[in-house]
C-alpha cells in the first residue's frame, strides 16, 4: 500500500483527461476498477442465494435482503425489478444485494427456486 504522502499528493484532475480514478490513476473513462470489483464479487459466491429479513438501522422497518445471486449488475437490476413487481413493493440494489421492502421471504424463495437458484432462508 502506498504511503499517506503518496495517497494525498496524487493527481485528481487533468485538463487533458478530466477526472482521474484514485485507485488505478487512469482517466475515469478508461478505469477498470469497477469491473474488476464486480468480477471479484462474482468469484467469491458459493452458488447459494441467501434470503434474510433485516430491521437493524432501519428504524424498525423490515426489509428482505437477497444476497449471493450470481449475476452482474445489469442482470441483478432486472431480477430485482421482477421480484419487486411480484411482491408489489419497492426496493433497491446496493452493492450486489437486493433489498425488498417488507417481509416477503416465502414469496421470494418460491420465485427464485422456480428460476433454478439454490435458496436458503438465513437469519430470523
Amino acid at each position: 500500500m502506498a504511503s499517506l504522502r503518496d495517497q494525498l499528493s496524487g493527481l485528481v484532475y487533468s485538463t487533458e483527461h478530466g477526472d482521474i480514478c484514485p485507485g488505478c490513476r487512469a482517466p475515469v473513462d478508461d478505469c477498470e476498477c469497477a469491473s474488476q470489483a464486480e468480477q471479484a464479487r462474482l468469484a467469491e459466491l458459493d452458488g447459494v442465494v441467501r434470503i434474510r429479513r433485516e430491521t437493524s438501522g432501519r428504524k424498525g422497518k423490515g426489509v428482505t435482503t437477497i444476497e449471493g445471486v450470481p449475476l452482474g449488475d445489469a442482470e441483478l437490476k432486472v431480477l430485482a425489478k421482477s421480484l419487486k413487481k411480484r411482491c408489489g413493493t419497492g426496493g433497491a440494489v446496493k452493492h450486489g444485494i437486493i433489498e425488498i421492502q417488507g417481509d416477503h421471504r416465502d414469496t421470494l424463495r418460491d420465485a427464485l427456486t422456480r428460476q433454478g437458484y439454490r435458496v436458503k432462508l438465513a437469519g430470523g
Side-chain angles (χ1 to χ4, degrees), residues 34-79:
S35 63
Q36 290 174 356
E38 181 66 21
Q39 293 297 325
R41 181 187 71 83
L42 291 174
E44 291 177 358
L45 299 178
D46 60 355
V48 176
V49 177
R50 289 175 174 80
I51 301 174
R52 80 172 45 96
R53 181 174 180 270
E54 294 182 2
T55 58
S56 62
R58 303 177 195 281
K59 298 181 183 177
K61 307 286 185 183
V63 297
T64 305
T65 60
I66 304 167
E67 64 179 315
V69 182
L71 297 175
D73 284 337
E75 296 91 5
L76 205 59
K77 288 181 182 180
V78 171
L79 176 65

Side-chain angles (χ1 to χ4, degrees), residues 65-107:
T65 60
I66 304 167
E67 64 179 315
V69 182
L71 297 175
D73 284 337
E75 296 91 5
L76 205 59
K77 288 181 182 180
V78 171
L79 176 65
K81 183 176 181 178
S82 68
L83 293 174
K84 290 187 298 184
K85 188 180 286 187
R86 173 143 182 134
C87 295
T89 62
V93 177
K94 298 179 183 175
H95 307 291
I97 298 174
I98 301 173
E99 296 179 355
I100 307 289
Q101 295 173 355
D103 186 7
H104 300 283
R105 289 178 289 184
D106 296 328
T107 306

